[in-house]
């Protein structure tokens, strides 16, 4: 098959009534995919979607592209491959209906052959819409890659090569390539299938071949068995990849070919060793992620997905959960290359809704096709180790409802029995009907007032009751790994009553890691922990916000009023910068020995603050503050040592034990004086590490740092340009907020410009952005070959320049 990128030369516009055409219709904007058509629409306090989506509006958009279809395509198979279209997508070819797909997170393909006019121009349009259908920001549009696929009538269908590694020994591994071949002609054809396996040095390791005879209009499969001596295994520390090159020949004629990347690795679980990758026990240091890419909206640019994977891995994560939907192919490709384990999730709902127009309306009819799409996408990816059949599903607490879970699990097993199956079960959600009735009647046997004092305690306590144990037992029994949301108290309960049940903390409060991680390490039946969330995201606005009750915009429940946009619950912010909680998390995991200094914002000193389960303390790693010298200030130091000594300008100002208030934290009450603040970690009386913060000088400059200067000029690459306010030594001016403007000369455009300010009213498409804690991020997309010059300027500061080269 010839797989051609189909991302350029699209237009998008509002899709109104067909009768609007008489008045000229809506304006169209030229775009390159992946594209989020919702990101640049105006947010409003009146949005019916509210804080769920960050106050973005509903939308009905139409993407259109015109292509010349050559006459020779008449005898070929022509397919449009759409990796993701959010949501309720309908595809038209020359104005005629060709296909639809309600689920906005699964890929689907459209056979174009019946609709094309050969030898002339053809128009393809895709309508998408979003409307109170999500609990978070989902975006709208053709937000993942789109491909045009052409092939001979005898060919390998999309995702037609599946690779398994059933036997792996140190000296030998068996690899089975199962190749599907379709015959769309009117005649019986006999062809030969061959697969060549190469290692990551491009050395041929095996070549196997076999003939297959296909009757007209049928498909068949060829199973080719390869044996690889002393195989290089894929794992998180050394992600060795192999490539399978498959060809279909008829005599000397090459009819089709395919290239598939895979890894040789095994995944098992048991109650003694827990999760094992290639026979070695692994605890999952996991994080949940939503699918948006911050300033890009939901657009899943391959470079954006890869950068996220790299930064997650650098922050200590070895696994991610795609909450609560199918993750992109580009993200999986990056996980394969960099060694990040993945569990991929089917859906946030089954048959019971969570928002007015969510996927529960389509799930009963489409779920099987959705599962087939997910498995086809994931099958050859070594990074994918688990499939999840759902998240916080109401039906998991119902006997009849659990039959949906059984059907889902068995469907997955029928398609792929090599991976684990889980479900993220929330005991409180699964039994919400009972608890609601008990609380309303006053008959509940628990002290609700005590439970309500802390969401962490409430969810943990409710999730571990006997009622929950009984109600979710059938749903748990269907799974290879039982996912537990916010109920780590179940770990000991299930270890006692169900010693062969394997568990995973599928969603947990990040600030509770010091309590949870020792339980994960203690119980071999618990294979890991996934914090909510690893990366901050748009929507569910302010669920992670430290709340000052005397603020004017105090949240109602877990949501804040407009203009709040970000959840502010990620251990990494939307720009990719690690927040202080990430360094504490790394310390609790045992991966960090150097102390980390986090300073509570002194302008709020003495104010009451409420820090919830998804929140972290209102701290910044900075010793530059716009408060008078001598102002009271609180300093936290994250460390795994016994105690921490704090020095200011070389003078000892205090010593504190680690863990008195919270594990891996030493706390200090002191005064702010400009200068140098140093924390020294001490274990057994010996200094084992130190870190220092310095006050910035009065001379501030703009600092521009690109993640790369050499780019690919194919329209799909990105450069991430860090924009910082700093002094001449590089110390960031976290206490200054300045509007920075970006101009671009040459073959490039500004794809997005943002900061981590959670309640900004500035737009990601604008060329000016106000820094937050001294930082902003500009994303540049090349549009052709040449030199791209980026100029950044701010009032009162000399402009700065960066040159990028696109080849």
């Amino acid at each position: 098959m010839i797989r051609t990128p189909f991302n350029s030369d699209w237009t998008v516009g509002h899709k109104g009534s067909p009768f609007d055409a008489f008045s000229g219709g809506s304006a169209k904007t030229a775009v390159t995919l992946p594209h989020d058509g919702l990101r640049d629409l105006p947010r409003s306090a009146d949005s019916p979607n509210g804080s769920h989506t960050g106050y973005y509006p509903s939308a009905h958009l139409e993407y259109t592209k015109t292509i010349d279809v050559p006459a020779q395509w008449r005898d070929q198979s022509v397919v449009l491959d759409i990796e993701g279209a959010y949501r309720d997508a309908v595809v038209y070819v020359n104005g005629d209906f060709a296909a639809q797909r309600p689920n906005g997170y699964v890929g689907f393909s459209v056979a174009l052959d019946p609709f094309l006019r050969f030898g002339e121009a053809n128009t393809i349009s895709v309508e998408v819409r979003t409307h109170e259908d999500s609990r978070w920001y989902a975006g709208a549009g053709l937000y993942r890659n789109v491909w045009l696929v052409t092939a001979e009538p005898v060919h390998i269908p999309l995702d037609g090569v599946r690779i398994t590694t059933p036997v792996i020994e140190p000296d030998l591994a068996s690899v089975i390539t199962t190749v599907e071949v379709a015959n769309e002609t009117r005649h019986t054809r006999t062809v030969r299938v061959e697969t060549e396996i190469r290692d990551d040095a491009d050395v041929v390791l095996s070549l196997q071949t076999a003939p297959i005879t296909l009757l007209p209009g049928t498909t068949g499969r060829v199973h080719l068995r390869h044996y690889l001596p002393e195989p290089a295994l894929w794992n998180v520390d050394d992600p060795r990849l192999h490539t399978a090159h498959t060809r279909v020949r008829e005599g000397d004629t090459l009819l089709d070919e395919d290239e598939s990347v895979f890894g040789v690795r095994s995944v098992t679980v048991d109650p003694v060793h827990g999760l094992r990758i290639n026979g070695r026990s692994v605890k999952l240091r996991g994080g949940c992620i939503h699918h948006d890419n911050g300033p890009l909206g939901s657009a899943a640019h391959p470079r954006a997905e890869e950068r996220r994977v790299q930064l997650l891995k650098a922050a200590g994560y070895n696994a991610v959960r795609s909450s609560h939907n199918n993750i992109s192919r580009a993200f999986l490709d990056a996980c394969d290359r960099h060694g990040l384990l993945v569990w991929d999730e089917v859906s946030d709902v089954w048959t019971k809704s969570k928002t007015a127009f969510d996927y529960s309306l389509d799930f009963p009819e489409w779920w099987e096709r959705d599962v087939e799409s997910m498995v086809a996408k994931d099958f050859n990816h070594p990074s994918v180790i688990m499939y999840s059949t759902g998240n916080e599903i109401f039906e998991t607490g119902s006997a009849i409802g659990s039959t949906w879970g059984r059907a889902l699990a068995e469907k997955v097993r029928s398609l792929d029995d090599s991976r684990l199956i889980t479900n993220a079960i929330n005991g409180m959600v699964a039994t919400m009907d009972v608890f609601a009735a008990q609380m309303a009647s006053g008959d509940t046997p628990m002290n609700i007032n005590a439970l309500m004092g802390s969401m962490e305690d409430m969810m943990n306590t409710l999730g571990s009751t006997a009622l929950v144990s009984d109600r979710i037992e059938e749903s748990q029994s269907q799974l290879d790994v039982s996912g537990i949301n916010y109920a780590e108290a179940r770990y000991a309960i299930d270890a006692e009553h169900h010693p062969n049940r394997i568990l995973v903390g599928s969603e947990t409060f990040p600030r509770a890691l010091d309590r949870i991680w020792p339980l994960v390490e203690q119980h071999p039946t618990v294979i890991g922990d996934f914090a909510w969330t690893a990366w901050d995201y748009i929507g569910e606005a302010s669920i992670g916000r430290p709340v000052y009750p005397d603020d004017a915009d105090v949240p109602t429940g877990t949501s804040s009023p407009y203009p709040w946009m970000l959840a502010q619950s990620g251990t990494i912010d939307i720009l990719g910068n690690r927040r202080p909680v990430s360094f504490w998390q790394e310390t609790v995991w045992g991966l960090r020995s150097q102390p980390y200094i986090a300073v509570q914002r002194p302008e709020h000193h003495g104010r009451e603050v409420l820090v919830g389960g998804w929140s972290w303390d209102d701290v910044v790693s900075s010793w530059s503050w716009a408060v008078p010298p001598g102002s009271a200030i609180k300093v936290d130091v994250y460390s795994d040592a016994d105690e921490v000594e704090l020095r200011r300008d070389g003078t000892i100002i205090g010593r504190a034990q680690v863990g008195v208030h919270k594990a891996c934290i030493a706390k200090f009450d002191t005064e702010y004086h400009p200068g140098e603040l140093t924390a020294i970690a001490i274990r057994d009386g010996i200094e084992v590490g130190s870190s220092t913060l310095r006050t910035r000088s009065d001379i501030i400059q703009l600092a521009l740092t690109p993640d790369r200067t050499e780019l690919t000029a194919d329209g799909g690459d990105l450069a991430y340009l860090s924009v910082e306010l700093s002094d001449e030594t590089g110390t960031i001016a976290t206490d200054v907020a300045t509007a920075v403007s970006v101009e671009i000369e040459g073959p490039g455009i500004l794809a997005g410009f943002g900061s981590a300010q959670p309640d900004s009213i500035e737009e990601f498409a604008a060329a000016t952005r106000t820094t937050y804690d001294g930082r902003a991020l500009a994303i540049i997309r090349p549009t052709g070959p040449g030199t791209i010059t980026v100029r950044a300027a701010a009032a009162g500061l000399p402009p700065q320049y960066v040159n990028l080269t696109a080849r």
Side-chain angles (χ1 to χ4, degrees):
M1 68 183 73
I2 300 175
R3 188 177 177 86
T4 306
F6 208 58
N7 289 335
S8 61
D9 301 321
W10 289 83
T11 63
V12 65
H14 171 70
K15 176 65 176 179
S17 164
F19 302 105
D20 291 345
F22 293 113
S23 59
S26 63
K28 302 290 185 179
T29 302
V31 296
T32 297
L33 309 182
H35 180 260
D36 178 4
L38 189 63
R39 185 200 68 168
D40 300 335
L41 296 184
R43 298 194 304 132
S44 168
D46 299 325
S47 166
N49 305 305
S51 64
H52 293 302
T53 67
Y55 297 96
Y56 275 90
S58 297
H60 182 187
L61 305 172
E62 181 181 44
Y63 287 78
T64 304
K65 179 181 173 77
T66 300
I67 61 169
D68 291 323
V69 176
Q72 56 265 36
W73 281 9
R74 189 183 301 275
D75 297 321
Q76 292 190 313
S77 170
V78 185
V79 173
L80 184 68
D81 183 22
I82 299 175
E83 293 188 6
Y86 198 91
R87 198 199 107 155
D88 291 315
V90 183
V91 181
Y92 298 90
V93 181
N94 298 318
D96 295 317
F97 171 85
Q100 71 174 122
R101 196 67 184 231
N103 192 327
Y105 295 110
V106 299
F108 63 101
S109 60
V110 183
L112 299 181
D113 317 57
F115 310 100
L116 293 177
R117 300 168 184 164
F118 299 97
E120 58 182 280
N122 286 246
T123 299
I124 297 172
S125 61
V126 183
E127 292 184 21
V128 295
R129 48 196 50 79
T130 180
H131 47 91
E132 296 182 72
D133 54 22
S134 179
R135 297 189 298 119
W136 56 87
Y137 177 83
L142 295 173
Y143 69 102
R144 292 176 179 169
N145 283 326
V146 177
W147 306 85
L148 186 69
V149 181
T150 57
E152 295 296 323
V154 178
H155 62 274
I156 304 169
L158 290 171
D159 298 312
V161 177
R162 296 195 173 188
I163 303 169
T164 56
T165 55
V167 180
I168 302 174
E169 299 292 346
D171 61 336
L172 195 68
S174 66
V175 177
I176 300 175
T177 55
T178 300
V179 182
E180 182 178 359
V181 184
N183 177 13
E184 296 181 353
T185 72
R186 296 175 56 245
H187 307 284
T188 299
R189 304 282 287 271
T190 297
V191 298
R192 179 165 290 276
V193 177
E194 65 179 34
T195 298
E196 177 184 84
I197 292 181
R198 294 174 177 263
D199 64 14
D200 51 8
D202 205 32
V203 175
V204 177
L205 303 179
S206 175
L207 173 64
Q208 298 296 319
T209 179
I212 181 172
T213 298
L214 299 163
L215 297 174
T218 66
T219 61
R221 291 182 176 87
V222 175
H223 301 273
L224 300 175
R225 187 178 295 272
H226 308 258
Y227 293 95
L228 309 184
E230 299 180 351
L233 304 184
W234 185 98
N235 60 62
V236 294
D237 300 319
D238 188 18
R240 302 291 295 275
L241 292 171
H242 293 73
T243 304
H245 298 267
T246 300
R247 302 174 183 89
V248 178
R249 301 182 188 274
E250 189 172 38
D252 295 330
T253 303
L254 178 64
L255 298 179
D256 202 2
E257 58 184 332
D258 179 88
E259 183 175 289
S260 306
V261 177
F262 70 99
V264 179
R265 63 103 180 93
S266 64
V267 178
T268 61
V269 289
D270 64 66
V272 177
H273 305 96
L275 172 70
R276 288 194 285 180
I277 308 293
N278 302 326
R280 183 173 67 89
S281 295
V282 176
K283 292 291 188 180
L284 300 177
R285 303 186 303 272
C288 303
I289 57 171
H290 272 319
H291 72 294
D292 75 76
N293 273 304
L296 297 174
S298 64
H301 289 269
R303 173 55 194 157
E305 299 289 67
E306 179 176 53
R307 177 177 178 266
R308 262 209 301 174
V309 168
Q310 291 174 306
L311 294 176
L312 286 163
K313 190 83 184 289
Y317 290 102
N318 65 8
V320 291
R321 171 186 171 208
S322 71
S323 42
H324 307 290
N325 44 259
N326 281 209
I327 210 162
S328 74
R329 288 180 184 264
F331 195 94
L332 293 182
D333 289 340
C335 289
D336 290 346
R337 290 192 298 270
H338 297 286
L340 191 65
L341 301 171
V342 177
W343 100 23
D344 210 359
E345 198 150 81
V346 172
S347 179
D348 187 46
V349 293
W350 291 349
T351 62
K352 294 186 176 182
S353 66
K354 294 178 180 177
T355 57
F357 299 102
D358 65 19
Y359 194 60
S360 64
L361 298 172
D362 300 295
F363 181 86
E365 180 179 353
W366 285 86
W367 71 269
E368 286 193 85
R369 282 167 284 188
D370 291 345
V371 170
E372 290 166 358
S373 175
M374 177 182 71
V375 172
K377 167 178 64 73
D378 293 359
F379 197 93
N380 292 337
H381 288 281
S383 58
V384 179
I385 61 169
M386 282 194 291
Y387 297 116
S388 170
T389 56
N391 168 70
E392 296 188 337
I393 302 295
F394 294 109
E395 292 92 325
T396 55
S398 159
I400 292 178
S402 68
T403 62
W404 284 100
R406 190 176 302 281
L408 279 155
E410 292 309 307
K411 177 68 175 181
V412 173
R413 290 187 177 104
S414 72
L415 299 169
D416 183 359
D417 62 0
S418 69
R419 289 180 171 88
L420 306 169
I421 299 175
T422 187
N423 183 302
I425 298 174
N426 185 315
M428 187 176 73
V429 171
T431 55
M432 191 172 289
D433 55 337
V434 175
F435 283 118
Q438 288 180 341
M439 292 174 67
S441 66
D443 293 335
T444 176
M446 291 164 293
N447 184 341
I448 290 297
N449 289 331
L451 292 175
M452 292 298 291
S454 166
M455 183 176 289
E456 293 181 54
D457 293 339
M458 179 184 71
M459 297 181 76
N460 196 24
T461 302
L462 293 180
S464 60
T465 59
L467 170 64
V468 168
S469 296
D470 292 341
R471 289 280 292 267
I472 68 174
E473 183 180 11
E474 184 171 359
S475 290
Q476 285 184 301
S477 71
Q478 303 160 0
L479 309 169
D480 302 311
V481 178
S482 179
I484 301 297
N485 280 18
Y486 304 110
E488 61 274 9
R490 294 208 62 85
Y491 298 168
I493 294 171
D494 282 9
E496 178 182 357
H497 297 289
H498 302 279
N500 289 334
R501 179 178 290 166
I502 309 300
L503 306 176
V504 64
S506 42
E507 194 169 313
T508 62
F509 294 113
R511 68 177 298 106
L513 184 68
D514 55 336
R515 183 178 72 244
I516 295 171
W517 194 247
L519 296 175
V520 174
E521 293 185 313
Q522 174 188 346
H523 295 288
T525 52
V526 181
I527 64 173
D529 172 80
F530 286 77
W532 190 268
T533 54
W535 196 286
D536 205 16
Y537 57 97
I538 305 170
E540 292 188 297
S542 84
I543 67 164
R545 171 188 180 183
V547 175
Y548 295 93
D550 55 353
D551 277 346
D553 62 343
V554 173
T556 302
T558 57
S559 63
S560 292
Y562 179 83
W564 274 81
M565 173 173 38
L566 305 183
Q568 210 178 9
S569 66
T571 62
I572 299 173
D573 70 25
I574 65 163
L575 308 186
N577 297 312
R578 295 176 63 181
R579 300 174 67 207
V581 62
S582 172
F583 295 92
W584 174 79
Q585 186 180 54
E586 188 181 22
T587 304
V588 175
W589 280 332
L591 302 178
R592 180 183 178 86
S593 58
Q594 288 297 106
Y596 180 88
I597 306 173
V599 181
Q600 299 190 24
R601 299 180 190 268
E603 63 266 32
H604 299 312
H605 187 84
R607 296 177 67 193
E608 179 186 4
V609 60
L610 305 177
V611 180
W614 293 295
S615 310
W616 190 248
D617 302 313
D618 193 6
V619 294
V620 181
S621 185
S622 174
W623 198 238
S624 300
W625 300 101
V627 296
S631 296
I633 196 167
K634 293 180 178 291
V635 176
D636 295 341
V637 179
Y638 310 154
S639 175
D640 62 353
D642 301 328
E643 58 182 347
V644 172
E645 183 176 276
L646 197 65
R647 298 179 181 179
R648 189 173 61 237
D649 296 330
T651 301
I652 298 174
I653 59 174
R655 223 181 229 224
Q657 295 295 313
V658 174
V660 173
H661 303 279
K662 190 172 181 63
C664 294
I665 300 181
K667 290 183 171 289
F668 297 87
D669 286 298
T670 184
E671 295 180 349
Y672 173 68
H673 292 277
E676 186 175 271
L677 187 72
T678 299
I680 298 173
I682 299 170
R683 183 184 298 114
D684 297 328
I686 300 173
E687 179 180 331
V688 293
S690 66
S691 61
T692 298
L693 298 178
R694 295 175 180 85
T695 304
R696 66 169 179 85
S697 71
D698 293 333
I699 302 174
I700 298 177
Q701 59 190 6
L702 281 173
L704 307 182
T705 307
D707 65 335
R708 295 173 305 147
T709 57
E710 298 286 331
L711 307 172
T712 302
D714 60 1
D717 204 355
L718 298 172
Y720 281 80
L721 184 63
S722 175
V723 180
E724 295 178 343
L725 301 174
S726 65
D727 67 10
E728 63 276 8
T729 68
T731 299
I732 297 175
T734 56
D735 58 329
V736 177
T738 296
V740 180
S741 297
V742 168
E743 296 178 358
I744 297 175
E745 293 183 3
I749 64 169
L750 183 64
F753 195 15
S755 76
Q757 183 178 344
D759 59 347
S760 174
I761 61 172
E762 296 173 324
E763 298 178 353
F764 291 126
T768 299
R769 170 64 66 158
T770 302
T771 59
Y772 180 73
D773 286 340
R775 292 186 173 98
L777 182 74
I779 306 172
I780 315 301
R781 180 172 66 82
T783 56
T787 299
I788 304 167
T789 300
V790 184
R791 177 184 185 271
L797 301 178
Q800 298 294 321
Y801 299 83
V802 163
N803 287 329
L804 310 172
T805 302
R807 304 185 189 280

